[in-house]
């Protein structure tokens, strides 16, 4: 026992000795490697390097001093409002409204829930509208936007030049049915128009929207009839067989899809929609 205690004391003494020696050597090496005084040097910036310039942005709000400044502020506010509503306005004054409603009708008539998605149908309606309206948009670009960008006409003249082709397109769609124009003219207590120039734009646009809704619903009813017949036949057969618990739509949907594919439904529908717009 005494020998073991002596060994432990000797080992502890030797360990403490080496630790003290190692710390002194480390301190000496630190003193030798690092200078006692701070180092001296210079730093020069490369003259070819330029900093990125950040522009100053200042917002100043002042009261209008003249009526022209007030009119300009109101005009700017109206312009921003029109730009915000531009997508809705383009949807309502083009044939997109008719195409989108008819495509949604055919989807419901086929008893389809998820296929094709609504975004796909809207995309089809958009490109069909772009195809139909391309001559009108080209006329607007040539007569309104291009001269305005080249400072050849004022913004008021550009507005009238852009309005004329759209008015002509909407009026041509209602050439055979002007009942909505007469209705809105009577509600506005205006005189009976003799030509298109006598119809204000704020009368023509809602008339065109109601006309497009009516035409789209008429086309939808015609599309529904053959598929309703298939549903009725399938439901009668299931009732005669005593399968009253089986949903008729689940059985009739494959037959409606087969009929739609055999008659090339998408091509036939697209062609008829184009024919309904282009007289």
């Amino acid at each position: 026992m005494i020998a073991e205690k002596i060994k432990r004391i000797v080992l502890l003494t030797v360990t403490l000795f080496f630790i003290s020696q190692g710390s002194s050597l480390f301190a000496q090496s630190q003193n030798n490697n690092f200078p006692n005084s701070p180092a001296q040097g210079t730093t020069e910036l490369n003259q070819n390097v330029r900093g990125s310039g950040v522009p100053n942005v200042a917002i100043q709000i002042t009261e209008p001093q003249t009526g022209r400044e007030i009119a300009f502020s109101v005009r700017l506010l109206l312009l921003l409002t029109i730009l915000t509503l531009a997508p809705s306005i383009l949807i309502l004054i083009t044939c997109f409204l008719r195409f989108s409603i008819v495509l949604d009708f055919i989807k419901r008539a086929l008893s389809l829930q998820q296929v094709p998605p609504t975004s796909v149908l809207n995309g089809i309606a958009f490109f069909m509208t772009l195809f139909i309206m391309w001559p009108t948009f080209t006329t607007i670009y040539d007569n309104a936007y291009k001269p305005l960008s080249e400072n050849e006409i004022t913004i008021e003249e550009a507005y009238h030049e852009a309005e004329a082709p759209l008015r002509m397109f909407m009026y041509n769609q209602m050439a055979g049915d002007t009942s909505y124009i007469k209705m809105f003219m009577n509600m506005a207590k205006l005189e009976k128009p003799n030509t298109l120039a006598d119809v204000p734009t704020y009368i023509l646009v809602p008339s065109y929207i109601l006309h497009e809704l009516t035409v789209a619903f008429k086309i939808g009813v015609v599309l529904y009839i053959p598929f309703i017949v298939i549903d009725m036949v399938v439901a009668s057969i299931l009732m005669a067989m005593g399968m009253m618990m089986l949903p008729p739509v689940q059985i009739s949907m494959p037959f409606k899809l087969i009929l739609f594919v055999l008659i090339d439904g998408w091509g036939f529908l697209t062609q008829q929609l184009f024919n309904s717009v282009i007289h």
Side-chain angles (χ1 to χ4, degrees), residues 42 203 221-222 275:
T42 58
I203 297 292
V221 170
V222 174
N275 292 337

Side-chain angles (χ1 to χ4, degrees), residues 143-144 147-148 151-163:
N143 298 338
L148 179 64
N151 295 325
E152 297 179 358
I153 59 177
T154 61
I155 189 170
E156 289 82 5
E157 295 174 347
Y159 169 76
H160 292 296
E161 291 292 337
E163 182 187 27

Side-chain angles (χ1 to χ4, degrees), residues 61-77:
I61 301 176
T62 59
E63 294 184 0
Q65 302 296 328
T66 60
R68 176 175 293 183
E69 293 181 359
I70 297 175
F72 177 76
S73 301
V74 174
R75 188 182 302 176
L76 181 61
L77 179 61

